Amino acid sequence: MFLRFLDELRAAGIAASLKEHLVLLEALDAAVIESTPEAFYYLARATYVKDEALLDRFDRVFGKVFHGVVSDAGVAPQDLPAEWLEAVAARYLDAEEMARIQALGSWDDIMAALRERLAEQHGRHQGGSKWIGTGGTSPFGNAGYNPEGVRIGGESRHGRAIKVWEQRDFRNLDADVELGTRNIKVALRRLRRFAREGAADELDIQGTIDGTARQGWLDVRMRPERRNAVKLLLFLDVGGSMDPFVRICEELFSAATAEFKTLDFFYFHNCPYEGLWKDNRRRFTERTPAVEVLHRFGPDYKIVFVGDAAMSPYEITHAGGSVEHNNDEAGAVWMERLTGTYPSAIWLNPLPEPQWGYTPSIRLMRELVGGRMFPLTLAGLDAGMRELTRKR
């Protein structure tokens, strides 16, 4: 039973042994979980996956083998009538019509207006300029256009929403994605500081020869392995506007995992706030407080933020500005804490550098990292690694 599942896991590079397979079958026979696809998913993942970097690979195999059986797992969607979120007819506007549509005003004005609409509206609306609906020019809803608003359901069309109200699924990055070239690894190797630390478990050939010659008998010398002593923390932006850059981020993640022995990572969405996470499927239930990260990792760590920094400026400047939750403190406050604790910090941006000046949030984030934002290109990586090697 489930032998195809075992074969697919092995084909994907997940070391699933026959013993682990038998353990899974014994657990099912003992009825240790509920008889639901979601419960089986978590049992199988706990049985087979020993490295969190393989979670996304496991998810892809699981989805392939059990397609059509597994229902969506995760956080329940917000309780809004589904028919409100269905775009019956999308409205397309030309440049002149878009220019004539005015934003409501500040962040506070938009949030106050949304509260009023929720209190007053009792039915579905389509194609208007005021109510929560679809296909219109209202600041609230989806499948229409407004310079600034709250997208409720649907898909992003213009990238102008200052807040998003929907269930959103992000995927983890795979640490074992192989690079098309070795150039990223070569660029990362600039950030090296070798040291011999730990147990003496490596044969010191030169020392053994020298000792034997001096003593007149075999004098075996051992030494600690030579390792890259640089400690690295990766903060990875996932979801939303970062979806087109998943491949290049996986390549970077794979290269960094191979090059640095002391490496840890956390995910965030758009801007770091009070909570970070390591598994995107549980980003609401298993978060690591940012304060804990500041205390756990010393100031000798090098920090690399990876993201396009393309978001509503309110997500950086305002409390409550996050698109996914009501943050008590502005994103800028947490960025200042992170860069203040870790002086060696850079930001890698996958967007082409000529586009940075057109997005206010990128300019804000660049200022928060002290101007140390580099494009996620080979030249940008090289410049970024040189910056991290500077003494501060």
Side-chain angles (χ1 to χ4, degrees):
M1 191 176 184
F2 302 128
L3 288 179
R4 177 174 170 244
F5 184 34
L6 183 65
D7 291 339
E8 292 287 351
L9 288 171
R10 289 172 172 174
I14 297 176
S17 67
L18 184 59
K19 180 180 180 181
E20 291 168 339
H21 185 63
L22 293 175
V23 168
L24 177 66
L25 295 182
E26 289 177 6
L28 292 174
D29 187 56
V32 299
I33 59 170
E34 298 178 358
S35 298
T36 64
E38 290 79 14
F40 174 68
Y41 162 81
Y42 287 113
L43 174 64
R45 195 178 78 170
T47 303
Y48 291 123
V49 180
K50 303 300 187 293
D51 185 347
E52 59 194 2
L54 298 175
L55 290 175
D56 181 65
R57 191 179 307 185
F58 176 84
D59 290 348
R60 294 199 297 268
V61 173
F62 194 88
K64 175 183 177 181
V65 175
F66 300 104
H67 178 70
V69 177
V70 183
S71 60
D72 290 336
V75 181
Q78 299 290 345
D79 188 17
L80 286 177
E83 62 270 15
W84 288 17
L85 310 181
E86 295 174 358
V88 176
R91 183 171 181 180
Y92 295 94
L93 306 174
D94 59 31
E96 287 188 18
E97 289 176 310
M98 288 184 178
R100 287 197 295 268
I101 300 172
Q102 299 295 319
L104 282 180
S106 67
W107 165 269
D108 294 331
D109 295 334
I110 294 173
M111 292 298 105
L114 176 59
R115 284 192 291 269
E116 292 177 5
R117 302 291 193 278
L118 288 171
E120 297 172 3
Q121 187 169 341
H122 301 288
R124 183 186 177 281
H125 198 77
Q126 163 73 25
S129 60
K130 176 182 178 181
W131 299 111
I132 302 170
T134 58
T137 58
S138 166
F140 314 111
N142 69 75
Y145 173 80
N146 193 275
E148 286 187 325
V150 179
R151 176 165 63 83
I152 302 177
E155 297 180 356
S156 176
R157 289 172 174 264
H158 305 285
R160 291 180 172 271
I162 64 171
K163 207 168 185 70
V164 177
W165 193 347
E166 65 170 347
Q167 178 181 346
R168 312 175 82 192
D169 291 328
F170 302 155
R171 54 173 284 189
N172 295 323
L173 299 181
D174 190 337
D176 291 327
V177 170
E178 281 302 320
L179 303 176
T181 68
R182 297 180 64 252
N183 290 339
I184 294 181
K185 290 184 179 180
V186 171
L188 290 176
R189 286 173 186 170
R190 290 193 179 277
L191 188 59
R192 282 180 167 182
R193 187 178 69 249
F194 286 108
R196 296 190 182 277
E197 300 174 346
D201 52 8
E202 178 184 273
L203 176 63
D204 183 355
I205 296 177
Q206 188 60 45
T208 298
I209 294 173
D210 183 69
T212 300
R214 291 177 182 277
Q215 301 292 340
W217 62 80
L218 181 62
D219 183 12
V220 177
R221 303 281 181 91
M222 303 295 290
R223 65 183 180 185
E225 184 181 353
R226 186 170 178 257
R227 297 175 180 270
N228 186 357
V230 170
K231 301 176 182 179
L232 186 67
L233 262 180
L234 281 177
F235 293 97
L236 302 155
D237 183 7
V238 291
S241 60
M242 282 297 292
D243 287 346
F245 308 113
V246 166
R247 178 66 185 181
I248 191 172
C249 287
E250 284 187 328
E251 291 177 352
L252 175 66
F253 188 38
S254 175
T257 302
E259 290 298 321
F260 299 98
K261 298 296 183 182
T262 306
L263 178 144
D264 214 321
F265 70 94
F266 293 92
Y267 293 117
F268 67 94
H269 181 55
N270 286 353
C271 182
Y273 295 106
E274 71 281 358
L276 306 164
W277 60 93
K278 299 180 75 68
D279 184 350
N280 283 309
R281 296 181 67 93
R282 297 189 174 186
R283 68 186 188 280
F284 294 115
T285 57
E286 294 183 2
R287 293 202 172 203
T288 302
V291 171
E292 181 181 322
V293 174
L294 294 173
H295 291 163
R296 188 195 309 174
F297 302 97
D300 56 333
Y301 272 79
K302 311 286 186 181
I303 306 300
V304 177
F305 298 95
V306 183
D308 60 2
M311 68 195 91
S312 165
Y314 299 121
E315 296 184 58
I316 302 174
T317 60
H318 281 62
S322 168
V323 295
E324 292 202 317
H325 75 294
N326 287 319
N327 49 301
D328 293 332
E329 295 181 292
V333 174
W334 286 104
M335 282 298 300
E336 289 170 353
R337 287 173 180 156
L338 287 167
T339 55
T341 302
Y342 305 104
S344 293
I346 64 170
W347 187 292
L348 296 176
N349 195 325
L351 283 175
E353 191 170 2
Q355 298 179 16
W356 296 358
Y358 299 108
T359 306
S361 60
I362 296 179
R363 295 198 298 268
L364 286 171
M365 196 61 76
R366 193 175 187 180
E367 292 174 3
L368 288 170
V369 294
R372 300 188 297 274
M373 180 178 286
F374 303 91
L376 189 45
T377 61
L378 294 178
L381 270 173
D382 186 72
M385 295 307 103
R386 290 178 184 274
E387 176 63 34
L388 287 178
T389 58
R390 291 176 54 191
K391 292 184 178 181
R392 300 184 181 279

